[in-house]
Amino acid sequence: MSLVCSSCANEIGDIQVECQGFCKAIFHPRCCGIAADAFEEVMKNKQIFWMCYSCTKLMDDLRFRNTTRAAYEVGQVHALNSHSDIMQNLKLEIMDELKTEIKTNFAKLINSSSFTPKSFKPTDIHPRFTKGRRLFRTIDNAEPTPKPSLQVGTGSTPSPSMGIATVPPNQPKFWLYLSRIARDVSTDQVRALAMKRLASDDIQVIRLVAKGRDINTLSFVSFKVGMNLDLKSKALSTSTWPRGVVYRSSPTTDPEQIFGDQDLLQYSTIH
């Protein structure tokens, strides 16, 4: 199909000039009105915005320019709204697909034999095996077997001939808080000191360092020492511990509650 010049209405050859305005018409190079010395630059540079005479006259009209700008803005808003509606509909479709997929997979999981135990039905017992008496009960009618409660015996101590040996219950401990101890002192060293000063092997020592805390950042460390209750008075004596050690007793024998209420702890410093 041959192209026709919008100015002279004659057929256009290989070289043509297109209006970049509103009409988008095509012209001969000689009909477009571009000077010969500028024509080559217009053809090479796409950044040069050339319009025909009619479109140029339209752009000189202020009312037309305002109308064109308003129409462009309305078109932009409409395009944005259209894209927003498309995205919203796409989201709804995706959510519906996900819901359907989840329901399907969940139903497969419920119906899977690897996760759902098979129901058990008791086998009926033939009457000839019962001999007129009901020797068995079905599972549906079976009563739950009560769990025996633990009771502590209060009778006499069994003799050795009975062959039963009992273990005495754990005795509550007295806990002491030792502080102002050098950070390089180990738990074994504190335990050895407590065993020597208290003359007892039944000593428990726990170093009190917060989890994740670097011990090198501490100026001193603290320990809690557990012992039998009969050593309480000796443990609270200032002559028991080395000079400079700070100690205080706990109002409770429960190691989980030790040092929970700092206002109730009494402390002493060995000078």
Side-chain angles (χ1 to χ4, degrees):
M1 179 179 180
S2 60
L3 301 177
V4 179
C5 177
S6 299
S7 177
C8 64
N10 292 321
E11 185 176 350
I12 300 177
D14 296 335
I15 302 176
Q16 59 190 17
V17 181
E18 182 180 358
C19 174
Q20 301 297 324
F22 304 99
C23 65
K24 302 298 181 181
I26 301 176
F27 299 88
H28 285 116
R30 64 176 181 273
C31 298
C32 64
I34 302 176
D37 55 350
F39 180 79
E40 185 176 354
E41 294 296 328
V42 172
M43 296 297 294
K44 289 192 305 182
N45 298 292
K46 298 298 182 180
Q47 296 87 350
I48 298 178
F49 193 82
W50 177 83
M51 291 190 299
C52 66
Y53 177 77
S54 299
C55 292
T56 303
K57 294 295 291 182
L58 288 175
M59 290 302 297
D60 290 339
D61 189 349
L62 180 61
R63 179 181 298 176
F64 180 80
R65 288 206 308 270
N66 292 338
T67 302
T68 303
R69 184 182 299 108
Y72 175 77
E73 293 175 354
V74 171
Q76 288 291 97
V77 173
H78 179 69
L80 291 175
N81 292 335
S82 298
H83 287 304
S84 178
D85 294 339
I86 293 174
M87 292 299 297
Q88 187 65 26
N89 293 334
L90 182 59
K91 289 180 180 179
L92 294 176
E93 293 178 1
I94 293 175
M95 291 300 297
D96 292 339
E97 290 292 335
L98 288 176
K99 291 178 180 180
T100 303
E101 186 71 17
I102 291 173
K103 290 181 179 179
T104 302
N105 292 335
F106 188 74
K108 292 180 180 179
L109 180 65
I110 295 299
N111 296 328
S112 175
S113 60
S114 60
F115 290 96
T116 305
K118 297 181 180 180
S119 59
F120 176 79
K121 294 182 178 180
T123 305
D124 295 335
I125 301 174
H126 197 275
R128 70 185 184 88
F129 292 106
T130 62
K131 296 182 180 181
R133 297 178 58 188
R134 187 175 182 83
L135 301 179
F136 302 96
R137 291 183 298 176
T138 60
I139 293 179
D140 294 336
N141 296 329
E143 297 179 357
T145 303
K147 296 182 179 180
S149 59
L150 298 177
Q151 302 290 338
V152 179
T154 59
S156 60
T157 304
S159 62
S161 60
M162 297 179 63
I164 297 177
T166 59
V167 178
N170 294 331
Q171 297 296 327
K173 288 183 177 294
F174 169 70
W175 289 89
L176 190 73
Y177 176 79
L178 298 181
S179 186
R180 292 286 176 181
I181 300 176
R183 63 189 181 189
D184 57 346
V185 176
S186 66
T187 303
D188 293 337
Q189 291 175 320
V190 175
R191 185 172 182 272
L193 173 65
M195 291 171 58
K196 180 179 180 180
R197 296 299 178 96
L198 298 173
S200 174
D201 294 336
D202 189 11
I203 300 296
Q204 184 178 356
V205 178
I206 302 174
R207 185 169 64 175
L208 302 176
V209 178
K211 185 178 181 180
R213 182 72 179 273
D214 186 2
I215 193 172
N216 294 324
T217 61
L218 302 176
S219 58
F220 62 88
V221 292
S222 303
F223 296 83
K224 58 182 181 181
V225 182
M227 66 200 74
N228 292 330
L229 285 175
D230 54 2
L231 297 175
K232 177 178 180 180
S233 58
K234 189 174 183 179
L236 295 177
S237 175
T238 56
S239 61
T240 302
W241 306 108
R243 187 182 303 274
V245 175
V246 175
Y247 68 91
R248 55 190 177 186
S249 61
S250 171
T252 176
T253 59
D254 185 1
E256 299 295 334
Q257 300 178 4
I258 289 178
F259 318 124
D261 189 350
Q262 298 294 338
D263 295 335
L264 297 178
L265 298 177
Q266 301 175 352
Y267 64 91
S268 300
T269 305
I270 302 174
H271 300 286

PDB file of all heavy atoms in Angstrom, residues 47-48 63 146 151 162 233:
ATOM      1  N   GLN A  47      14.996  12.940  19.159  1.00  0.00           N
ATOM      2  CA  GLN A  47      14.613  13.839  20.243  1.00  0.00           C
ATOM      3  C   GLN A  47      13.975  15.137  19.726  1.00  0.00           C
ATOM      4  O   GLN A  47      13.337  15.852  20.484  1.00  0.00           O
ATOM      5  CB  GLN A  47      15.829  14.185  21.121  1.00  0.00           C
ATOM      6  CG  GLN A  47      16.433  12.991  21.853  1.00  0.00           C
ATOM      7  CD  GLN A  47      17.472  12.283  20.990  1.00  0.00           C
ATOM      8  OE1 GLN A  47      17.594  12.575  19.801  1.00  0.00           O
ATOM      9  NE2 GLN A  47      18.197  11.351  21.598  1.00  0.00           N
ATOM     10  N   ILE A  48      14.193  15.419  18.444  1.00  0.00           N
ATOM     11  CA  ILE A  48      13.617  16.649  17.879  1.00  0.00           C
ATOM     12  C   ILE A  48      12.140  16.410  17.602  1.00  0.00           C
ATOM     13  O   ILE A  48      11.768  15.519  16.829  1.00  0.00           O
ATOM     14  CB  ILE A  48      14.360  17.070  16.592  1.00  0.00           C
ATOM     15  CG1 ILE A  48      15.818  17.367  16.931  1.00  0.00           C
ATOM     16  CG2 ILE A  48      13.695  18.270  15.956  1.00  0.00           C
ATOM     17  CD1 ILE A  48      16.655  17.743  15.721  1.00  0.00           C
ATOM     18  N   ARG A  63      -6.819  27.519  25.001  1.00  0.00           N
ATOM     19  CA  ARG A  63      -7.957  26.685  25.399  1.00  0.00           C
ATOM     20  C   ARG A  63      -7.745  25.241  24.966  1.00  0.00           C
ATOM     21  O   ARG A  63      -8.047  24.301  25.717  1.00  0.00           O
ATOM     22  CB  ARG A  63      -9.241  27.236  24.791  1.00  0.00           C
ATOM     23  CG  ARG A  63     -10.483  26.410  25.132  1.00  0.00           C
ATOM     24  CD  ARG A  63     -11.722  26.996  24.493  1.00  0.00           C
ATOM     25  NE  ARG A  63     -11.971  28.355  24.996  1.00  0.00           N
ATOM     26  CZ  ARG A  63     -12.959  29.136  24.537  1.00  0.00           C
ATOM     27  NH1 ARG A  63     -13.761  28.696  23.571  1.00  0.00           N
ATOM     28  NH2 ARG A  63     -13.123  30.345  25.033  1.00  0.00           N
ATOM     29  N   PRO A 146      -8.815 -47.328  87.488  1.00  0.00           N
ATOM     30  CA  PRO A 146      -8.309 -46.163  88.237  1.00  0.00           C
ATOM     31  C   PRO A 146      -6.834 -46.322  88.540  1.00  0.00           C
ATOM     32  O   PRO A 146      -6.346 -47.420  88.803  1.00  0.00           O
ATOM     33  CB  PRO A 146      -9.163 -46.163  89.509  1.00  0.00           C
ATOM     34  CG  PRO A 146      -9.578 -47.602  89.671  1.00  0.00           C
ATOM     35  CD  PRO A 146      -9.738 -48.144  88.279  1.00  0.00           C
ATOM     36  N   GLN A 151       0.793 -43.514  98.447  1.00  0.00           N
ATOM     37  CA  GLN A 151       0.610 -43.324  99.871  1.00  0.00           C
ATOM     38  C   GLN A 151       1.908 -43.682 100.584  1.00  0.00           C
ATOM     39  O   GLN A 151       2.658 -44.554 100.146  1.00  0.00           O
ATOM     40  CB  GLN A 151      -0.540 -44.201 100.415  1.00  0.00           C
ATOM     41  CG  GLN A 151      -1.889 -43.941  99.749  1.00  0.00           C
ATOM     42  CD  GLN A 151      -2.458 -42.596 100.116  1.00  0.00           C
ATOM     43  OE1 GLN A 151      -2.072 -42.033 101.143  1.00  0.00           O
ATOM     44  NE2 GLN A 151      -3.358 -42.077  99.314  1.00  0.00           N
ATOM     45  N   MET A 162      11.957 -59.848 105.378  1.00  0.00           N
ATOM     46  CA  MET A 162      10.935 -59.533 104.379  1.00  0.00           C
ATOM     47  C   MET A 162      11.552 -59.199 103.031  1.00  0.00           C
ATOM     48  O   MET A 162      10.866 -59.212 102.010  1.00  0.00           O
ATOM     49  CB  MET A 162      10.067 -58.364 104.860  1.00  0.00           C
ATOM     50  CG  MET A 162       9.276 -58.665 106.124  1.00  0.00           C
ATOM     51  SD  MET A 162       8.292 -57.270 106.659  1.00  0.00           S
ATOM     52  CE  MET A 162       7.202 -57.091 105.287  1.00  0.00           C
ATOM     53  N   SER A 233      23.944 -23.090 111.732  1.00  0.00           N
ATOM     54  CA  SER A 233      24.571 -22.197 112.703  1.00  0.00           C
ATOM     55  C   SER A 233      26.062 -22.044 112.424  1.00  0.00           C
ATOM     56  O   SER A 233      26.636 -20.954 112.540  1.00  0.00           O
ATOM     57  CB  SER A 233      24.335 -22.710 114.124  1.00  0.00           C
ATOM     58  OG  SER A 233      24.860 -24.034 114.257  1.00  0.00           O
TER      59      SER A 233
END
